[in-house]
Amino acid sequence: MSTIANNIAKVATRIREAAQAVARDPDEVRLLAVSKTQPAEAIRLACDAGLQDFGENYLQEALEKQASLSDLSVTWHFIGPIQSNKTKLIAEHFDWVHSVDRLKIAQRLSDQRPAHLPALNVCLQVNVSGEASKSGCDPQAVYPLAHAIAALPRLRLRGLMTIPEPTEDPAEQRAAFARLRQLQNGLDLELDTLSMGMSQDLEAAIAEGATWVRVGTALFGARSPASPIATAAPPHE
């Protein structure tokens, strides 16, 4: 068994045990492999081990991987900050976008989604911790923004996403994820997705209702230094 396959098995066990600990069906929680800065060969090994969903942050890097892995059945998720000049390629080449945080970006994704593809699955990213360095809309803006996005014809709003301030305190982890769940529960929309939790806090996220956990380090090991593509990316608008 490859190292990646072994790591996938370990993470799957963590997900199953975390769900069972709070009387949830483990099948309700899906694993999104965060493959940014990982080579295409690592994604191929993960596919061989049974994974299908991969999350990328850097558009050009992702497009190169998609081209080299076109023989695989992969569901591609964009999970990084989005600049306006990137929306067309994201709309054309991804199945999910977890990082929509402005109506302008959502409108462009909807307008540029090709007609022959199904509606683009999107999550509204919320900055639950109020960090100035983090992307995501203010919690107070969730209600009007979610309703505006849900009305766009070529998008399917699936739910909310967050990346809370890192902490090793399980109670603080759960409190941040609970805020996102409560925001979603307050929306009178048919939503089925809470994208929250990463390698270090997936148990807390699952306890608070996560349906996608975005895991990179625990699957692929520590990331290599950011690629030139990543470091050259312009700041989030």
Side-chain angles (χ1 to χ4, degrees):
M1 180 180 291
S2 72
T3 299
I4 290 176
N6 189 53
N7 289 344
I8 291 171
K10 290 178 180 178
V11 172
T13 296
R14 287 177 62 188
I15 291 172
R16 183 181 68 254
E17 292 178 349
Q20 291 172 341
V22 291
R24 291 188 63 193
D25 181 351
D27 290 340
E28 295 175 354
V29 185
R30 300 186 66 184
L31 174 58
L32 175 55
V34 178
S35 48
K36 64 178 181 181
T37 76
Q38 298 296 334
E41 292 75 14
I43 296 176
R44 190 174 293 277
L45 286 172
C47 283
D48 290 344
L51 291 190
Q52 182 182 15
D53 294 274
F54 294 87
E56 293 284 332
N57 287 57
Y58 309 118
L59 179 59
Q60 191 58 44
E61 177 190 330
L63 295 177
E64 292 171 2
K65 293 177 190 177
Q66 289 175 0
S68 66
L69 298 169
S70 60
D71 58 307
L72 299 179
S73 177
V74 172
T75 301
W76 293 101
H77 301 243
F78 194 83
I79 59 176
I82 304 172
Q83 293 90 36
S84 295
N85 64 346
K86 302 294 196 301
T87 54
K88 185 174 188 295
L89 288 171
I90 292 173
E92 290 173 348
H93 291 277
F94 287 83
D95 306 288
W96 282 75
V97 178
H98 291 238
S99 48
V100 174
D101 62 359
R102 289 167 290 161
L103 183 57
K104 172 186 175 182
I105 294 298
Q107 183 70 65
R108 288 176 66 88
L109 290 171
S110 179
D111 292 345
Q112 295 168 336
R113 182 67 168 174
H116 70 278
L117 295 177
L120 181 62
N121 297 297
V122 300
C123 294
L124 173 58
Q125 182 174 352
V126 185
N127 188 347
V128 295
S129 301
E131 296 174 88
S133 62
K134 288 276 179 69
S135 300
C137 73
D138 186 279
Q140 298 298 320
V142 167
Y143 188 90
L145 188 50
H147 281 79
I149 292 172
L152 294 172
R154 300 292 295 134
L155 302 185
R156 181 184 175 194
L157 180 64
R158 300 294 296 266
L160 305 183
M161 181 272 244
T162 197
I163 307 172
E165 185 175 8
T167 175
E168 295 184 2
D169 184 333
E172 292 182 6
Q173 292 173 354
R174 287 194 61 165
F177 295 132
R179 287 195 290 274
L180 193 74
R181 174 176 49 78
Q182 290 160 4
L183 285 169
Q184 180 149 305
N185 289 344
L187 294 169
D188 53 346
L189 296 168
E190 293 186 9
L191 305 176
D192 60 8
T193 299
L194 282 172
S195 175
M196 59 188 193
M198 297 184 286
S199 294
Q200 73 277 14
D201 57 11
L202 66 85
E203 285 83 2
I206 290 170
E208 294 299 336
T211 60
W212 281 110
V213 290
R214 307 180 307 274
V215 179
T217 303
L219 296 178
F220 299 109
R223 289 196 301 272
S224 58
S227 67
I229 293 170
T231 55
H236 185 34
E237 292 181 350

